[in-house]
Amino acid sequence: MNAVPWSVVDPSFRVNLPVFGEILDGGQAFCWDRIAPNHYRGIVRGHAWEIGVDASGHVLAHSISGGDPALLSDYFALDIDFDHLADQLPWRSDTLLATAIEGWQGLRILRQDLGETLLGFLCSSSKQIVQIKEILRLLARAYGQPIADGLYSLPTWEALAGVPEAELRQYKMGYRARYIAGVAERLAAEPAFLETLRELPFAEARQALVSLPGVGEKIAECVLLFGGGFLEAFPIDTWIATALQSGYGLEKWSPSQLRQFAGIHFGPGAGLAQQYLFAHMRRRPRPRDDR
DNA sequence: ATGCAGGAGAAAT
DNA sequence: ATTTCTCCTGCA
């Protein structure tokens, strides 16, 4: 069963268990199933993987489908020095950020497939992570490719083109079916849309994404940050809005004003700051709910 | 039991 | 240029 040996993804890539879980299953990606606290399984870059972290924090992986573990170095964006990027953030004058960075050392932004990221976040509105994963699992089984062991890759947008909205609705996505059908249609009509996106300046890429049905500011910034390599993207969800409002005394600021503030305060690595703050906020119990 | 969730879009201020 | 309502579904 384990004919393929586990190998260290990269000796310099080390994380603690909470950070490991936050990276794979904290809301950036929806393709990983936790099969043990330190062990995840999922499909990435067209291959089935098992990924684990050992007692020393080294990340180990093996592919059930013959994938080269080097593919994961790219997925984890190991070429980017996130520690250095974090040090460039204004933590010296920002105690909230300093606490978040301190508590989540080793956090990184994944380099995911752009089309898959778009699909995932189109399903994300008013949904919890487990629900998003369920929708994607159903879509993968219906329109994706079998990779291994009952695991399917997510469908390409090409595979989704022409699927009627009514058919999509059976996969628990509700009103989001209209958005997915609409985006599939747009991308079929503009085949170069996604590949061009990466080459555009951030503002233009964002504008292009928002022109898609079902993609507003928040989802556009998620797609650009987690799938487009735009580390200046700063998605503002309810957690981040609360963090900014209560942490910086911006209670009366609108979402667009908060976005403006974040760009100026956090700078070119704003997306990483967002990820730290998000993990930090989500770790502590909600404002009104104990236990 | 129902309000509401890591939102978008259109209608109504 | 904001605020409000609806859109599905399933947790809490």
Side-chain angles (χ1 to χ4, degrees):
Chain A
M1 173 146 174
N2 276 339
V4 185
W6 289 75
S7 59
V8 175
V9 174
D10 188 291
S12 68
F13 181 24
R14 299 176 65 180
V15 288
N16 64 34
L17 199 48
V19 169
F20 182 65
E22 189 66 19
I23 292 170
L24 288 182
D25 207 18
Q28 294 190 55
F30 306 109
C31 58
W32 296 104
D33 287 324
R34 189 176 68 187
I35 56 185
N38 63 340
H39 188 182
Y40 289 78
R41 176 180 295 161
I43 305 282
V44 155
R45 302 286 196 265
H47 282 284
W49 306 92
E50 292 190 0
I51 304 187
V53 56
D54 67 16
S56 65
H58 286 106
V59 175
L60 302 163
H62 80 129
S63 171
I64 318 162
S65 60
D68 180 351
L71 293 172
L72 292 180
S73 296
D74 180 57
Y75 180 74
F76 284 107
L78 296 185
D79 54 305
I80 298 177
D81 186 348
F82 285 101
D83 290 337
H84 179 257
L85 199 56
D87 193 52
Q88 306 292 102
L89 294 172
W91 58 271
R92 292 171 182 80
S93 59
D94 181 338
T95 55
L96 176 63
L97 181 61
T99 307
I101 293 176
E102 172 70 26
W104 292 95
Q105 284 190 29
L107 196 59
R108 1 181 18 94
I109 306 291
L110 296 170
R111 183 180 289 139
Q112 301 183 85
D113 179 86
L114 196 51
E116 292 183 357
T117 310
L118 175 58
L119 180 60
F121 282 96
L122 268 175
C123 300
S124 73
S125 74
S126 296
K127 285 285 183 197
Q128 299 174 350
I129 292 173
V130 284
Q131 297 174 293
I132 300 166
K133 293 207 286 193
E134 174 66 7
I135 295 171
L136 294 178
R137 202 167 6 249
L138 293 169
L139 282 178
R141 200 169 59 186
Y143 309 108
Q145 296 296 317
I147 302 295
D149 223 31
L151 293 171
Y152 293 78
S153 62
L154 285 174
T156 61
W157 281 104
E158 196 176 3
L160 290 172
V163 178
E165 175 188 336
E167 185 177 321
L168 291 172
R169 279 186 183 255
Q170 64 189 312
Y171 304 115
K172 303 184 179 180
M173 66 182 76
Y175 61 86
R176 301 158 195 83
R178 179 159 39 88
Y179 301 152
I180 290 179
V183 168
E185 192 179 355
R186 273 283 301 277
L187 296 186
E190 302 173 42
F193 186 99
L194 288 178
E195 54 185 271
T196 337
L197 207 58
R198 286 180 186 282
E199 315 306 325
L200 294 176
F202 173 69
E204 292 178 31
R206 186 163 164 281
Q207 186 177 14
L209 274 174
V210 170
S211 78
L212 296 175
V215 180
E217 313 283 344
K218 191 271 179 183
I219 289 182
E221 305 246 9
C222 284
V223 172
L224 291 173
L225 179 58
F226 304 131
F230 291 91
L231 295 178
E232 68 266 56
F234 193 90
I236 298 182
D237 54 47
T238 56
W239 289 97
I240 292 299
T242 302
L244 294 182
Q245 287 167 341
S246 69
Y248 302 88
L250 309 177
E251 279 80 3
K252 307 199 154 180
W253 292 40
S254 72
S256 75
Q257 290 174 314
L258 292 175
R259 177 63 183 86
Q260 178 86 2
F261 168 83
I264 293 167
H265 180 60
F266 297 116
L272 182 60
Q274 180 271 164
Q275 209 57 29
Y276 276 115
L277 292 174
F278 182 69
H280 178 66
M281 295 303 286
R282 226 167 50 113
R283 168 140 71 186
R284 15 204 98 254
R286 302 174 178 118
R288 281 180 26 94
D289 147 322
D290 280 14
R291 205 164 54 81

